[in-house]
Amino acid sequence: MAAELTEVTATKCFEGWQKIFSHKSDELKCAMRFGIYLPPQSEKEKVPVLYWLSGLTCTEENFVTKAGAQRYAADHGVAIVTPDTSPRGCNIKGEDDSWDFGTGAGFYLDATQDDWKTNYRMYSYITKEVSYKEQCKLPEVIQANFPVLANKQSILGHSMGGHGALVCFLRNPGKYASVSAFAPICNPSECPWGQKAFSGYLGADRDQWKFQRYDACHLMQDYDGPKVDILIDQGKADNFLTAGQLLPDNLTVVCAKKDVPLKLRMQDGYDHSYYFIASFIGDHIAHHAKYLKAS
Amino acid sequence: MAAELTEVTATKCFEGWQKIFSHKSDELKCAMRFGIYLPPQSEKEKVPVLYWLSGLTCTEENFVTKAGAQRYAADHGVAIVTPDTSPRGCNIKGEDDSWDFGTGAGFYLDATQDDWKTNYRMYSYITKEVSYKEQCKLPEVIQANFPVLANKQSILGHSMGGHGALVCFLRNPGKYASVSAFAPICNPSECPWGQKAFSGYLGADRDQWKFQRYDACHLMQDYDGPKVDILIDQGKADNFLTAGQLLPDNLTVVCAKKDVPLKLRMQDGYDHSYYFIASFIGDHIAHHAKYLKAS
């Protein structure tokens, strides 16, 4: 039977439906929301599914209202699932003190530190959610409730969510048909955002970070899965690029060593915003559709 | 010389630029913001311009972030100007008491009632803005500061802004090459929103409302301008349609009498939201481009 989902909103969009659901997450021990866009094709047949992971401060809604992705999802006949970016309302001390740590900043990892380890388990939530009744994983929650194809899924994201997408892809070879990212945090162990998050969630011992396997550059060094093209768009006018938060060059170096085809497009004049995402999301959805529709 | 504009933001989007400006409006006696999308073509040549008027509660930002219009504007090479929906911060008694009157609800008219008549002059602001230094009109403010073609402009809007677009078009034959609307308030004299706004801004005497000329159904009865196709999209699942706020059938009747070609598309399953707008804004921009590019 399907997991218990509550439909929060359902709105027709490009002949399909943009919906928001809430559910109780056993993994995160709190109520969570996610968005799903169901393209018109899903009324007649099962469709592939894209997982979109958002950046710092976002909820399940930012991508849904601002990226303009529904048009392309309708064109290609793919569903898009948009999870929230952290647990909410867990009453952890310090949870709401920063915009780049705690609420809205779950970093798609499973925390190991005492205050955070009970709720902050976004990695498991995204990749192997256990629903509170049926013990099924998130892809299974999605598959049990919506007309999506089993084993036809890909993942992408923005900034912190780009980091999340790369990590989920690299840690689970074959699980996702393809991966792409907008301005991802490529090497969190070496940038201020990542160091703050890893210190708080994983502890101050940097040697442990590598063992915990949440850094795309480290994971790429050990990666031996399918060598699919990785598409990354990065704005050249992105303040966080110049601030050293994103470090795409570090990923380029490792990919070259491993002979993994990375298509890093440096986009002239673009910043870190949803205007940047909207401008290129069509290319990303086409990229994933190519892999998802290959038999 | 150009009017004094302050650039608030400038963000690259679909190879063009989405910008927000603020300026002091003599017409409204307050600071106002507007958005403008400049398509990539505008770097080499002057382009036509669309005026988008938003609905109740909106600012200059809603359409800019949610409609996904920039892609189509870039395709067709048209600029889009998005004004705010009312004066702001005028300290008028009751200004912020309702979501459908006062701030965010200027109704694109020039008020005649004492409390409102000094600032609430959105009709003049949209159609003949006088800047505080150069005595030029809004189209002239736009033309003086941006690479847009003189006399190549069209107008469209949503809900209250659909009403505004129809009124601006019908009162100024030839000024706008074309008009379209999403779920417009077609007959404000006969619906609760319009009656509240007209009573407050224009006074309780209903006979005066017709004389003031802010009702598209009344204006259409007297219209003798160019008979261009009017495109209107209306969601069938729009709660405000069933609540009798929009009354598209009343406009259909008058257009038929006057032999004005109204293309009213009743869209199955769509509501009043920006998801509805996003789904069809491409058709609207193509509609206007056809008229704007005709020599």
Side-chain angles (χ1 to χ4, degrees), chain B residues 180-226:
Chain B
S180 75
F182 292 83
I185 301 173
C186 293
N187 194 183
S189 309
E190 303 299 331
C191 78
W193 277 339
Q195 288 165 349
K196 179 175 178 176
F198 284 10
S199 299
Y201 295 132
L202 305 175
D205 180 359
R206 288 181 59 109
D207 293 339
Q208 278 297 312
W209 297 356
K210 195 155 188 178
F211 181 71
Q212 295 293 334
R213 305 176 64 226
Y214 294 115
D215 186 312
C217 283
H218 300 167
L219 289 165
M220 185 61 79
Q221 281 171 333
D222 301 330
Y223 181 71
D224 60 2

Short mmCIF file of all heavy atoms in Angstrom, two decimals, chain B residues 180-226:
data_model
loop_
_atom_site.label_atom_id
_atom_site.label_comp_id
_atom_site.label_asym_id
_atom_site.label_seq_id
_atom_site.Cartn_x
_atom_site.Cartn_y
_atom_site.Cartn_z
N SER B 180 -3.83 41.70 -24.53
CA SER B 180 -4.27 40.36 -24.13
C SER B 180 -4.38 40.33 -22.61
O SER B 180 -3.91 41.24 -21.92
CB SER B 180 -3.30 39.29 -24.62
OG SER B 180 -2.12 39.27 -23.84
N ALA B 181 -5.00 39.28 -22.09
CA ALA B 181 -5.18 39.21 -20.64
C ALA B 181 -5.35 37.78 -20.17
O ALA B 181 -5.82 36.90 -20.91
CB ALA B 181 -6.39 40.05 -20.22
N PHE B 182 -4.96 37.56 -18.92
CA PHE B 182 -5.20 36.31 -18.22
C PHE B 182 -6.25 36.58 -17.15
O PHE B 182 -6.05 37.44 -16.27
CB PHE B 182 -3.93 35.83 -17.51
CG PHE B 182 -2.83 35.40 -18.45
CD1 PHE B 182 -1.97 36.33 -19.02
CD2 PHE B 182 -2.66 34.06 -18.77
CE1 PHE B 182 -0.96 35.93 -19.88
CE2 PHE B 182 -1.65 33.66 -19.63
CZ PHE B 182 -0.80 34.59 -20.19
N ALA B 183 -7.36 35.87 -17.21
CA ALA B 183 -8.40 35.96 -16.18
C ALA B 183 -8.68 37.40 -15.76
O ALA B 183 -8.66 37.73 -14.57
CB ALA B 183 -7.98 35.14 -14.97
N PRO B 184 -8.97 38.28 -16.73
CA PRO B 184 -9.17 39.69 -16.37
C PRO B 184 -10.50 39.94 -15.65
O PRO B 184 -11.46 39.19 -15.84
CB PRO B 184 -9.17 40.39 -17.73
CG PRO B 184 -9.69 39.36 -18.68
CD PRO B 184 -9.12 38.05 -18.19
N ILE B 185 -10.52 40.97 -14.84
CA ILE B 185 -11.78 41.49 -14.29
C ILE B 185 -12.42 42.28 -15.43
O ILE B 185 -12.01 43.41 -15.73
CB ILE B 185 -11.51 42.41 -13.08
CG1 ILE B 185 -10.76 41.64 -11.99
CG2 ILE B 185 -12.82 42.97 -12.54
CD1 ILE B 185 -10.31 42.54 -10.82
N CYS B 186 -13.38 41.68 -16.09
CA CYS B 186 -13.89 42.23 -17.36
C CYS B 186 -14.93 43.32 -17.17
O CYS B 186 -15.13 44.14 -18.08
CB CYS B 186 -14.50 41.11 -18.21
SG CYS B 186 -13.30 39.92 -18.80
N ASN B 187 -15.59 43.29 -16.04
CA ASN B 187 -16.75 44.17 -15.87
C ASN B 187 -16.80 44.62 -14.39
O ASN B 187 -17.71 44.27 -13.66
CB ASN B 187 -18.01 43.37 -16.25
CG ASN B 187 -19.27 44.20 -16.47
OD1 ASN B 187 -20.34 43.64 -16.73
ND2 ASN B 187 -19.17 45.50 -16.35
N PRO B 188 -15.81 45.42 -13.99
CA PRO B 188 -15.64 45.71 -12.55
C PRO B 188 -16.86 46.36 -11.89
O PRO B 188 -17.09 46.16 -10.69
CB PRO B 188 -14.41 46.65 -12.51
CG PRO B 188 -14.17 47.10 -13.91
CD PRO B 188 -14.71 46.02 -14.80
N SER B 189 -17.64 47.10 -12.66
CA SER B 189 -18.85 47.72 -12.08
C SER B 189 -19.84 46.69 -11.55
O SER B 189 -20.70 47.01 -10.74
CB SER B 189 -19.57 48.57 -13.13
OG SER B 189 -18.69 49.46 -13.76
N GLU B 190 -19.70 45.45 -12.04
CA GLU B 190 -20.68 44.42 -11.70
C GLU B 190 -20.13 43.30 -10.82
O GLU B 190 -20.80 42.28 -10.67
CB GLU B 190 -21.26 43.81 -12.99
CG GLU B 190 -21.90 44.82 -13.93
CD GLU B 190 -23.09 45.57 -13.29
OE1 GLU B 190 -23.75 44.98 -12.40
OE2 GLU B 190 -23.31 46.74 -13.67
N CYS B 191 -18.92 43.46 -10.28
CA CYS B 191 -18.36 42.40 -9.42
C CYS B 191 -17.89 43.00 -8.09
O CYS B 191 -17.60 44.20 -8.00
CB CYS B 191 -17.22 41.68 -10.13
SG CYS B 191 -15.64 42.59 -10.14
N PRO B 192 -17.81 42.17 -7.04
CA PRO B 192 -17.46 42.68 -5.71
C PRO B 192 -16.13 43.43 -5.65
O PRO B 192 -16.04 44.51 -5.05
CB PRO B 192 -17.44 41.42 -4.84
CG PRO B 192 -18.33 40.44 -5.54
CD PRO B 192 -18.17 40.73 -7.01
N TRP B 193 -15.06 42.86 -6.24
CA TRP B 193 -13.76 43.55 -6.21
C TRP B 193 -13.88 44.94 -6.83
O TRP B 193 -13.38 45.92 -6.27
CB TRP B 193 -12.72 42.78 -7.03
CG TRP B 193 -12.05 41.64 -6.34
CD1 TRP B 193 -11.94 41.43 -5.00
CD2 TRP B 193 -11.37 40.55 -6.98
NE1 TRP B 193 -11.23 40.28 -4.77
CE2 TRP B 193 -10.86 39.73 -5.96
CE3 TRP B 193 -11.12 40.19 -8.32
CZ2 TRP B 193 -10.13 38.55 -6.23
CZ3 TRP B 193 -10.39 39.03 -8.57
CH2 TRP B 193 -9.92 38.23 -7.54
N GLY B 194 -14.48 44.99 -8.02
CA GLY B 194 -14.57 46.26 -8.74
C GLY B 194 -15.46 47.26 -8.01
O GLY B 194 -15.13 48.45 -7.92
N GLN B 195 -16.56 46.77 -7.47
CA GLN B 195 -17.47 47.68 -6.77
C GLN B 195 -16.79 48.26 -5.51
O GLN B 195 -16.97 49.45 -5.22
CB GLN B 195 -18.76 46.93 -6.41
CG GLN B 195 -19.61 46.66 -7.66
CD GLN B 195 -20.71 45.63 -7.45
OE1 GLN B 195 -20.76 44.94 -6.42
NE2 GLN B 195 -21.60 45.52 -8.43
N LYS B 196 -16.02 47.45 -4.81
CA LYS B 196 -15.31 47.96 -3.63
C LYS B 196 -14.28 49.01 -4.06
O LYS B 196 -14.18 50.09 -3.46
CB LYS B 196 -14.60 46.80 -2.92
CG LYS B 196 -13.80 47.22 -1.69
CD LYS B 196 -13.23 46.01 -0.95
CE LYS B 196 -12.39 46.43 0.26
NZ LYS B 196 -11.91 45.26 1.03
N ALA B 197 -13.52 48.70 -5.12
CA ALA B 197 -12.48 49.63 -5.58
C ALA B 197 -13.10 50.92 -6.12
O ALA B 197 -12.67 52.03 -5.77
CB ALA B 197 -11.63 48.97 -6.65
N PHE B 198 -14.11 50.79 -6.97
CA PHE B 198 -14.71 51.98 -7.57
C PHE B 198 -15.39 52.84 -6.50
O PHE B 198 -15.31 54.07 -6.55
CB PHE B 198 -15.72 51.58 -8.66
CG PHE B 198 -15.09 51.12 -9.96
CD1 PHE B 198 -13.72 50.88 -10.05
CD2 PHE B 198 -15.86 50.92 -11.09
CE1 PHE B 198 -13.13 50.44 -11.24
CE2 PHE B 198 -15.29 50.50 -12.29
CZ PHE B 198 -13.93 50.25 -12.36
N SER B 199 -16.05 52.19 -5.54
CA SER B 199 -16.70 52.96 -4.46
C SER B 199 -15.67 53.76 -3.68
O SER B 199 -15.87 54.94 -3.37
CB SER B 199 -17.44 52.02 -3.49
OG SER B 199 -18.44 51.32 -4.17
N GLY B 200 -14.55 53.11 -3.37
CA GLY B 200 -13.52 53.76 -2.57
C GLY B 200 -12.77 54.83 -3.34
O GLY B 200 -12.53 55.93 -2.83
N TYR B 201 -12.38 54.51 -4.57
CA TYR B 201 -11.54 55.44 -5.33
C TYR B 201 -12.35 56.49 -6.10
O TYR B 201 -11.89 57.59 -6.33
CB TYR B 201 -10.66 54.67 -6.34
CG TYR B 201 -9.64 53.73 -5.74
CD1 TYR B 201 -9.50 52.43 -6.21
CD2 TYR B 201 -8.77 54.15 -4.72
CE1 TYR B 201 -8.54 51.57 -5.69
CE2 TYR B 201 -7.82 53.29 -4.19
CZ TYR B 201 -7.72 52.00 -4.68
OH TYR B 201 -6.77 51.14 -4.15
N LEU B 202 -13.54 56.09 -6.55
CA LEU B 202 -14.33 56.98 -7.44
C LEU B 202 -15.61 57.51 -6.79
O LEU B 202 -16.29 58.35 -7.37
CB LEU B 202 -14.70 56.23 -8.73
CG LEU B 202 -13.53 55.61 -9.52
CD1 LEU B 202 -14.07 54.80 -10.70
CD2 LEU B 202 -12.56 56.68 -10.01
N GLY B 203 -15.95 57.00 -5.60
CA GLY B 203 -17.14 57.46 -4.91
C GLY B 203 -18.32 56.52 -5.06
O GLY B 203 -18.36 55.66 -5.94
N ALA B 204 -19.30 56.69 -4.20
CA ALA B 204 -20.41 55.75 -4.10
C ALA B 204 -21.41 55.90 -5.26
O ALA B 204 -22.20 54.99 -5.52
CB ALA B 204 -21.13 55.94 -2.76
N ASP B 205 -21.38 56.99 -5.97
CA ASP B 205 -22.36 57.25 -7.03
C ASP B 205 -22.03 56.42 -8.28
O ASP B 205 -21.13 56.75 -9.05
CB ASP B 205 -22.35 58.75 -7.36
CG ASP B 205 -23.35 59.10 -8.47
OD1 ASP B 205 -24.05 58.19 -8.99
OD2 ASP B 205 -23.41 60.30 -8.82
N ARG B 206 -22.78 55.34 -8.49
CA ARG B 206 -22.49 54.42 -9.59
C ARG B 206 -22.59 55.09 -10.96
O ARG B 206 -21.92 54.66 -11.91
CB ARG B 206 -23.46 53.23 -9.57
CG ARG B 206 -23.23 52.24 -8.45
CD ARG B 206 -24.25 51.11 -8.55
NE ARG B 206 -24.14 50.42 -9.82
CZ ARG B 206 -23.65 49.19 -9.97
NH1 ARG B 206 -23.27 48.50 -8.92
NH2 ARG B 206 -23.56 48.64 -11.16
N ASP B 207 -23.42 56.10 -11.09
CA ASP B 207 -23.54 56.79 -12.39
C ASP B 207 -22.21 57.44 -12.79
O ASP B 207 -21.88 57.53 -13.97
CB ASP B 207 -24.64 57.85 -12.34
CG ASP B 207 -26.02 57.22 -12.19
OD1 ASP B 207 -26.15 56.01 -12.53
OD2 ASP B 207 -26.95 57.90 -11.73
N GLN B 208 -21.47 57.89 -11.76
CA GLN B 208 -20.16 58.50 -12.03
C GLN B 208 -19.14 57.49 -12.58
O GLN B 208 -18.23 57.86 -13.30
CB GLN B 208 -19.59 59.11 -10.73
CG GLN B 208 -20.15 60.48 -10.43
CD GLN B 208 -19.78 61.50 -11.51
OE1 GLN B 208 -18.64 61.60 -11.93
NE2 GLN B 208 -20.78 62.22 -12.00
N TRP B 209 -19.32 56.21 -12.20
CA TRP B 209 -18.33 55.21 -12.62
C TRP B 209 -18.25 55.13 -14.14
O TRP B 209 -17.16 55.06 -14.70
CB TRP B 209 -18.67 53.82 -12.07
CG TRP B 209 -18.66 53.71 -10.58
CD1 TRP B 209 -18.30 54.67 -9.68
CD2 TRP B 209 -19.04 52.57 -9.81
NE1 TRP B 209 -18.43 54.20 -8.41
CE2 TRP B 209 -18.87 52.90 -8.44
CE3 TRP B 209 -19.50 51.29 -10.12
CZ2 TRP B 209 -19.16 52.00 -7.41
CZ3 TRP B 209 -19.78 50.40 -9.11
CH2 TRP B 209 -19.60 50.76 -7.76
N LYS B 210 -19.40 55.13 -14.79
CA LYS B 210 -19.40 55.01 -16.25
C LYS B 210 -18.71 56.23 -16.88
O LYS B 210 -17.93 56.11 -17.80
CB LYS B 210 -20.84 54.88 -16.77
CG LYS B 210 -20.90 54.40 -18.19
CD LYS B 210 -22.22 53.71 -18.52
CE LYS B 210 -22.17 53.08 -19.90
NZ LYS B 210 -23.40 52.37 -20.25
N PHE B 211 -19.00 57.38 -16.29
CA PHE B 211 -18.40 58.62 -16.76
C PHE B 211 -16.87 58.59 -16.61
O PHE B 211 -16.14 59.17 -17.41
CB PHE B 211 -19.01 59.79 -15.97
CG PHE B 211 -18.49 61.13 -16.37
CD1 PHE B 211 -18.84 61.70 -17.60
CD2 PHE B 211 -17.64 61.84 -15.54
CE1 PHE B 211 -18.35 62.93 -17.97
CE2 PHE B 211 -17.15 63.08 -15.90
CZ PHE B 211 -17.50 63.64 -17.11
N GLN B 212 -16.41 57.90 -15.58
CA GLN B 212 -14.95 57.85 -15.33
C GLN B 212 -14.22 56.89 -16.27
O GLN B 212 -13.00 56.94 -16.36
CB GLN B 212 -14.68 57.45 -13.87
CG GLN B 212 -15.16 58.47 -12.84
CD GLN B 212 -14.38 59.77 -12.92
OE1 GLN B 212 -13.23 59.79 -13.35
NE2 GLN B 212 -15.02 60.87 -12.53
N ARG B 213 -14.95 55.99 -16.92
CA ARG B 213 -14.38 55.16 -17.99
C ARG B 213 -13.27 54.22 -17.54
O ARG B 213 -12.18 54.24 -18.06
CB ARG B 213 -13.92 56.04 -19.16
CG ARG B 213 -15.02 56.94 -19.69
CD ARG B 213 -14.55 57.88 -20.79
NE ARG B 213 -14.12 57.16 -21.97
CZ ARG B 213 -12.99 57.42 -22.64
NH1 ARG B 213 -12.18 58.37 -22.22
NH2 ARG B 213 -12.68 56.74 -23.70
N TYR B 214 -13.61 53.37 -16.56
CA TYR B 214 -12.65 52.35 -16.13
C TYR B 214 -13.26 50.94 -16.16
O TYR B 214 -12.82 50.06 -15.42
CB TYR B 214 -12.11 52.65 -14.72
CG TYR B 214 -11.27 53.90 -14.66
CD1 TYR B 214 -11.70 55.00 -13.93
CD2 TYR B 214 -10.05 53.97 -15.33
CE1 TYR B 214 -10.93 56.15 -13.87
CE2 TYR B 214 -9.28 55.12 -15.27
CZ TYR B 214 -9.73 56.20 -14.54
OH TYR B 214 -8.96 57.34 -14.48
N ASP B 215 -14.26 50.73 -16.98
CA ASP B 215 -14.87 49.40 -17.07
C ASP B 215 -14.79 48.94 -18.52
O ASP B 215 -15.37 49.57 -19.42
CB ASP B 215 -16.33 49.48 -16.59
CG ASP B 215 -16.98 48.10 -16.52
OD1 ASP B 215 -16.87 47.33 -17.51
OD2 ASP B 215 -17.61 47.80 -15.49
N ALA B 216 -14.07 47.83 -18.76
CA ALA B 216 -13.82 47.37 -20.14
C ALA B 216 -15.11 47.11 -20.90
O ALA B 216 -15.19 47.38 -22.11
CB ALA B 216 -12.95 46.11 -20.13
N CYS B 217 -16.14 46.61 -20.22
CA CYS B 217 -17.41 46.34 -20.92
C CYS B 217 -18.05 47.64 -21.39
O CYS B 217 -18.60 47.72 -22.50
CB CYS B 217 -18.35 45.55 -20.04
SG CYS B 217 -17.90 43.79 -19.94
N HIS B 218 -17.99 48.68 -20.56
CA HIS B 218 -18.55 49.97 -20.97
C HIS B 218 -17.71 50.59 -22.09
O HIS B 218 -18.24 51.13 -23.06
CB HIS B 218 -18.59 50.94 -19.78
CG HIS B 218 -19.44 50.44 -18.64
ND1 HIS B 218 -19.41 51.00 -17.40
CD2 HIS B 218 -20.32 49.42 -18.56
CE1 HIS B 218 -20.23 50.35 -16.59
NE2 HIS B 218 -20.80 49.40 -17.28
N LEU B 219 -16.40 50.52 -21.92
CA LEU B 219 -15.50 51.12 -22.92
C LEU B 219 -15.65 50.44 -24.27
O LEU B 219 -15.60 51.11 -25.32
CB LEU B 219 -14.04 51.02 -22.45
CG LEU B 219 -13.68 51.94 -21.27
CD1 LEU B 219 -12.36 51.51 -20.64
CD2 LEU B 219 -13.60 53.40 -21.72
N MET B 220 -15.85 49.13 -24.25
CA MET B 220 -15.99 48.40 -25.51
C MET B 220 -17.24 48.86 -26.27
O MET B 220 -17.22 48.91 -27.51
CB MET B 220 -16.06 46.90 -25.22
CG MET B 220 -16.08 46.02 -26.46
SD MET B 220 -14.60 46.20 -27.50
CE MET B 220 -13.44 45.18 -26.59
N GLN B 221 -18.28 49.20 -25.53
CA GLN B 221 -19.51 49.66 -26.20
C GLN B 221 -19.26 50.91 -27.04
O GLN B 221 -19.90 51.13 -28.07
CB GLN B 221 -20.62 49.93 -25.16
CG GLN B 221 -21.29 48.64 -24.71
CD GLN B 221 -22.24 48.84 -23.54
OE1 GLN B 221 -22.08 49.76 -22.73
NE2 GLN B 221 -23.22 47.96 -23.43
N ASP B 222 -18.34 51.75 -26.59
CA ASP B 222 -18.05 53.01 -27.30
C ASP B 222 -16.81 52.93 -28.18
O ASP B 222 -16.42 53.92 -28.81
CB ASP B 222 -17.83 54.14 -26.28
CG ASP B 222 -19.04 54.33 -25.39
OD1 ASP B 222 -20.17 54.07 -25.85
OD2 ASP B 222 -18.86 54.73 -24.21
N TYR B 223 -16.14 51.77 -28.18
CA TYR B 223 -14.85 51.65 -28.85
C TYR B 223 -14.98 51.76 -30.37
O TYR B 223 -15.84 51.11 -30.97
CB TYR B 223 -14.21 50.31 -28.49
CG TYR B 223 -12.84 50.08 -29.11
CD1 TYR B 223 -11.73 50.79 -28.68
CD2 TYR B 223 -12.66 49.14 -30.13
CE1 TYR B 223 -10.47 50.57 -29.23
CE2 TYR B 223 -11.41 48.91 -30.69
CZ TYR B 223 -10.32 49.63 -30.24
OH TYR B 223 -9.09 49.41 -30.79
N ASP B 224 -14.17 52.62 -30.98
CA ASP B 224 -14.17 52.67 -32.45
C ASP B 224 -12.74 52.68 -33.00
O ASP B 224 -12.49 53.21 -34.08
CB ASP B 224 -14.96 53.88 -32.95
CG ASP B 224 -14.37 55.19 -32.45
OD1 ASP B 224 -13.34 55.17 -31.74
OD2 ASP B 224 -14.93 56.26 -32.77
N GLY B 225 -11.79 52.06 -32.25
CA GLY B 225 -10.40 51.97 -32.70
C GLY B 225 -10.18 50.76 -33.59
O GLY B 225 -11.13 50.10 -34.02
N PRO B 226 -8.91 50.48 -33.87
CA PRO B 226 -8.56 49.33 -34.72
C PRO B 226 -9.10 48.02 -34.14
O PRO B 226 -9.02 47.81 -32.93
CB PRO B 226 -7.02 49.32 -34.69
CG PRO B 226 -6.62 50.68 -34.21
CD PRO B 226 -7.72 51.19 -33.37
#
